Amino acid sequence: MKVRLKDEVGDAAYRSWLRPITLHDTSEGGVKLALPTRFMRDWVNTHYAERIRTLWGAENPAIRNVEIVVEAARAASATQNATKAKAVPAPAAEPARATPPCAPATVPSNDTDELGAPLDARFTFKNFVVGKPNEFAWAAARRIAEADQVSFNPLFLYGGVGLGKTHLMHAIAHHIRERNPERSVLYLSAEKFMYRFIRALRGQDTMSFKEQFRSVDVLMIDDVQFIAGKDATQEEFFHTFNALVDQGRQIVISADKSPSDLEGIEERLRSRMACGLVADIHATTYELRLGILQSKAEQMGAIVPQKVLEFLAHKIISNIRELEGALNRVVAHSQLVGRAITLETTQEVLHDLLRASDRRITIEEIQKKVAEHFTIKLAEMSSARRSRQVARPRQIAMYLAKQLTSRSLPEIGRKFGGRDHTTVMHAVKKVEELKECDHNFAEDVELLRRMLQG
């Protein structure tokens, strides 16, 4: 029967949902089939149960009822493992030592066998500066950290590089451990998850791997986009995800794009990641950058003139990581050389960074250059017109905005008349397709790129 089902549903669906089925019990006129989690049982009941009953009845007409259940032994084993994990006392955290401005302070992990990554002692809710671009993600992270029961699962944080995703994840872990040390929290990158899985496969110890990851109270995976195109790792993460959700455990995930925009990730996994709460961290505003600099200077105990902070907030706009790095350099230079921090010394110390910032391209510049090139009005970039004469330049401008700026897809869409991020995705894909088959079109796009980067 399984061979027939595999032929009908395809190899991927068969491996995910039907291969784990085992025969649980038989009785007169009926059979019980078992799956390891409630989520898998419900999915199979919804999508495949009727077909299974039909095929089973065709092979043995005496079977009139097929029931799909959750195998108690596996569920009990998972609960038992979770209890054991909780019973391991967490080592007391050592006090964080004073560190140089750019050196991260870390606290030891309480994960069994150091399964996860260490947490940065600086990344707490107290040190997170909240502003309009990140207030929703911050509020969601606080809710997760303070809740005794799962509110939404998973929490999916996404945004560009250096905007605070990792800070919020570390803050959640710190807060949970301080509030309830008995709860087991596991934080690690998707890359580390993959390497541990590969090591388990090579050592033929996948059961131990599964037990470790599926017995935690809170699983936090950073930069999940790393497992794009890695099918075996995605399948293991999918089943780990299902097992934890089935047990009512919390999952927190971060990525550089929203679940629907993650390329190379299987549809079933993208769907699962999007089923909780998805929170976008937008690019920083001037006010938020200034607030971050003021907070950072205060933490460092450095006296930095307000004019210097305002200058940096205006000039370093790419991401928070680069902004804090710039302040670190200015303060370190002052301390090492013994000179007061002034606007002049700041420009001198950061001359290379400021030159790079001055060369950064904005979406407005791209729109203007493309409109001039195709002799259309700049207003058409945001208009609702769909004629090819207007739509094609608009798509090229969206493509170049994606290639030449650090803005997210939703941000780009908003700059083009409030369009949805899926419209930007379509534009990028369309331009890439046309570049492949139309040499003149490709030359046009490349010319525009060179002019903008000039």
Side-chain angles (χ1 to χ4, degrees):
M1 183 184 72
K2 280 194 170 184
V3 175
R4 179 81 175 271
L5 281 169
K6 185 177 180 180
D7 291 339
E8 290 184 10
V9 305
D11 188 56
Y14 174 79
R15 282 188 291 108
S16 300
W17 307 110
L18 302 175
R19 189 169 65 183
I21 294 175
T22 57
L23 182 62
H24 182 72
D25 191 18
T26 59
S27 60
E28 189 176 344
V31 295
K32 282 186 179 180
L33 304 178
L35 280 163
T37 69
R38 283 196 300 272
F39 174 74
M40 294 182 75
R41 178 202 61 188
D42 294 345
W43 182 278
V44 171
N45 263 328
T46 302
H47 296 87
Y48 304 114
E50 198 57 45
R51 187 57 184 153
I52 290 172
R53 292 187 187 100
T54 301
L55 291 174
W56 204 293
E59 289 188 11
N60 185 354
I63 299 298
R64 296 182 299 278
N65 181 47
V66 177
E67 184 182 357
I68 302 172
V69 299
V70 177
E71 189 172 6
R74 293 197 211 178
S77 173
T79 305
Q80 195 174 27
N81 290 330
T83 305
K84 286 178 183 176
K86 288 183 183 179
V88 178
E94 297 176 5
R97 298 177 183 176
T99 56
C102 46
T106 59
V107 295
S109 169
N110 68 346
D111 303 317
T112 306
D113 298 327
E114 297 189 359
L115 191 64
L119 299 175
D120 192 319
R122 301 170 303 166
F123 290 170
T124 63
F125 284 122
K126 183 181 178 181
N127 293 337
F128 189 84
V129 181
V130 183
K132 200 167 184 180
N134 60 25
E135 61 183 354
F136 178 57
W138 172 83
R142 290 286 305 198
R143 173 71 66 84
I144 290 289
E146 293 172 356
D148 292 319
Q149 295 182 332
V150 176
S151 305
F152 24 75
N153 217 3
L155 169 61
F156 190 101
L157 303 171
Y158 79 96
V161 174
L163 294 182
K165 302 185 298 295
T166 298
H167 188 144
L168 281 177
M169 294 186 82
H170 285 222
I172 292 170
H174 280 307
H175 195 83
I176 291 174
R177 287 177 177 175
E178 289 167 8
R179 192 167 172 269
N180 188 355
E182 292 300 311
R183 292 186 75 188
S184 52
V185 181
L186 177 56
Y187 165 83
L188 74 166
S189 67
E191 180 180 16
K192 192 168 185 178
F193 178 89
M194 184 191 75
Y195 288 139
R196 290 199 174 278
F197 177 54
I198 292 171
R199 192 167 70 184
L201 287 174
R202 287 176 177 167
Q204 298 183 340
D205 191 24
T206 54
M207 286 310 298
S208 175
F209 174 90
K210 292 175 192 292
E211 287 173 8
Q212 286 177 316
F213 277 89
R214 298 179 191 189
S215 63
V216 298
D217 293 308
V218 183
L219 176 63
M220 312 179 79
I221 302 290
D222 209 351
D223 290 326
V224 77
Q225 72 273 4
F226 183 83
I227 63 172
K230 299 170 176 68
D231 296 342
T233 303
Q234 284 186 43
E235 181 163 353
E236 179 57 33
F237 180 58
F238 177 74
H239 293 304
T240 298
F241 188 113
N242 289 339
L244 289 171
V245 169
D246 200 54
Q247 296 172 58
R249 311 297 172 83
Q250 182 68 59
I251 301 173
V252 183
I253 301 170
S254 82
D256 60 349
K257 298 174 184 174
S258 69
S260 59
D261 295 335
L262 288 172
E263 297 177 0
I265 301 289
E266 292 181 9
E267 171 60 32
R268 59 177 182 161
L269 184 53
R270 282 190 283 130
S271 175
R272 290 297 277 150
M273 291 192 291
C275 70
L277 180 66
V278 177
D280 182 9
I281 302 179
H282 302 290
T284 57
T285 59
Y286 167 75
E287 292 78 13
L288 179 58
R289 290 193 296 275
L290 185 58
I292 289 168
L293 289 168
Q294 290 168 339
S295 174
K296 179 75 174 174
E298 186 179 329
Q299 290 172 38
M300 297 165 69
I303 299 172
V304 184
Q306 183 68 13
K307 283 186 177 180
V308 171
L309 297 178
E310 291 172 357
F311 174 76
L312 292 176
H314 272 299
K315 286 290 186 180
I316 315 296
I317 62 174
S318 57
N319 61 63
I320 297 168
R321 200 172 296 157
E322 195 169 290
L323 184 70
E324 291 185 339
L327 182 61
N328 284 336
R329 283 174 63 179
V330 170
V331 172
H333 178 270
S334 171
Q335 292 172 346
L336 293 170
V337 178
R339 290 170 61 185
I341 298 173
T342 65
L343 202 53
E344 291 71 26
T345 59
T346 297
Q347 290 173 313
E348 181 185 322
V349 171
L350 301 178
H351 66 279
D352 57 331
L353 191 60
L354 295 173
R355 268 205 314 271
S357 295
D358 288 340
R359 286 199 303 271
R360 284 208 175 90
I361 301 159
T362 66
I363 293 175
E364 290 78 8
E365 288 171 333
I366 292 170
Q367 290 174 330
K368 185 178 179 182
K369 184 65 70 176
V370 173
E372 288 173 356
H373 183 78
F374 289 100
T375 60
I376 63 172
K377 293 179 181 177
L378 181 59
E380 298 290 15
M381 289 291 163
S382 304
S383 76
R385 287 185 60 193
R386 295 186 178 182
S387 65
R388 187 171 178 178
Q389 180 186 0
V390 172
R392 190 68 78 227
R394 189 190 296 134
Q395 287 176 330
I396 292 172
M398 288 181 185
Y399 169 82
L400 290 169
K402 175 71 171 63
Q403 298 297 315
L404 302 179
T405 76
S406 59
R407 301 304 184 193
S408 66
L409 295 175
E411 289 172 321
I412 294 171
R414 285 192 286 272
K415 293 287 188 179
F416 285 83
R419 286 175 162 80
D420 190 74
H421 72 280
T422 55
T423 304
V424 182
M425 287 175 61
H426 172 74
V428 171
K429 187 177 180 182
K430 186 66 178 177
V431 170
E432 287 174 345
E433 288 173 354
L434 288 170
K435 282 176 65 182
E436 289 290 325
C437 61
D438 187 333
H439 180 69
N440 291 332
F441 179 86
E443 283 190 344
D444 255 354
V445 175
E446 186 55 34
L447 175 62
L448 283 163
R449 181 201 290 272
R450 286 200 299 269
M451 288 165 67
L452 286 161
Q453 289 180 319

